[in-house]
Amino acid sequence: MLVDMHLHECTFSKDSFINLKQIVAIAKAKGLDAVCITDHDSMGLVDFAAEFSKKENFPIFVGVEYFSAHGDITAWGIDTFPDKRIDSQIFIDHVNAHGGFCVSCHPFRNNNRGLEDHLRNVRGLHGVEVLNGSTDMEACRKALRYARELGLKTIGASDAHVEAQIGKYVTWLPEMVTTLPDFIAQLHASQPKPAIWNGLSYDVVDDL
């Protein structure tokens, strides 16, 4: 299964220039099996995404990209999140208390929105974006080194805000799932791998 785990839709991410119809159409054209909508501090697309997913017969998993006091974290499996910036550990604990899954986004991108070395201090984080479509490769390789050192799952994601970015990097999972609970269970149970769009298909990679 191939899924883009970090996408922004224009309704609730005001810095995005893509709508859900465009996202799904491009994802299907590239052979993806699902997408995740992780808007900035919002899960407002949940109801519309559920309707559109059914109409298109294509899984859409809605999570959130939450800007904690130490950096951005994507999460799935929660219904609510704080309406202000709080300590990253408190947010991670909240996700785990609800049986969710959380990932450090672009931890070493030079924009003051990554966990950076704070990765070593938090407990209960599940994964790290080792490939992020808006992050340079040097920072991605550093994220991979940290993920391996800390025993965290390796995630690939486009972080797309425009059409050209959709599906640039994605995550490979060993089994196909169609519901959010099964998606979260699969993430917890398996060893995800990042994958790179080569212009025709995806290359699943172990090293960058």
Side-chain angles (χ1 to χ4, degrees), residues 39-203:
D39 286 319
H40 298 293
D41 299 319
S42 174
M43 290 188 292
L45 207 68
V46 168
D47 292 337
F48 178 72
E51 294 174 6
F52 196 74
S53 176
K54 185 176 180 179
K55 176 185 174 184
E56 293 290 318
N57 192 29
F58 187 80
I60 302 169
F61 306 127
V62 177
V64 64
E65 182 178 20
Y66 175 70
F67 187 26
S68 79
H70 300 103
D72 284 320
I73 299 170
T74 45
W76 297 263
I78 55 175
D79 295 322
T80 62
F81 56 89
D83 59 1
K84 60 183 178 181
R85 292 181 69 188
I86 61 169
D87 186 276
S88 56
Q89 187 63 65
I90 297 174
F91 179 69
I92 292 167
D93 290 344
H94 172 69
V95 175
N96 281 305
H98 289 80
F101 188 88
C102 54
V103 174
S104 170
C105 310
H106 44 71
F108 298 105
R109 187 195 296 169
N110 187 25
N111 67 346
N112 296 315
R113 290 185 66 106
L115 290 182
E116 299 184 347
D117 286 330
H118 199 67
L119 280 170
R120 290 198 174 103
N121 300 325
V122 295
R123 297 291 178 267
L125 187 70
H126 304 115
V128 176
E129 281 183 354
V130 302
L131 277 176
N132 174 283
S134 297
T135 302
D136 66 64
M137 192 55 66
E138 181 180 352
C140 288
R141 291 190 180 104
K142 187 173 183 179
L144 178 59
R145 291 197 298 270
Y146 271 64
R148 287 175 171 168
E149 173 192 333
L150 299 169
L152 299 172
K153 296 175 188 283
T154 53
I155 302 299
S158 70
D159 195 0
H161 294 69
V162 296
E163 285 191 16
Q165 276 189 308
I166 297 169
K168 178 181 179 179
Y169 300 137
V170 302
T171 297
W172 171 88
L173 291 165
E175 296 180 17
M176 183 67 192
V177 296
T178 59
T179 68
L180 180 59
D182 286 346
F183 176 61
I184 293 169
Q186 174 84 182
L187 286 167
H188 279 298
S190 69
Q191 290 300 323
K193 293 184 178 182
I196 301 171
W197 176 249
N198 64 23
L200 295 173
S201 61
Y202 283 96
D203 297 319

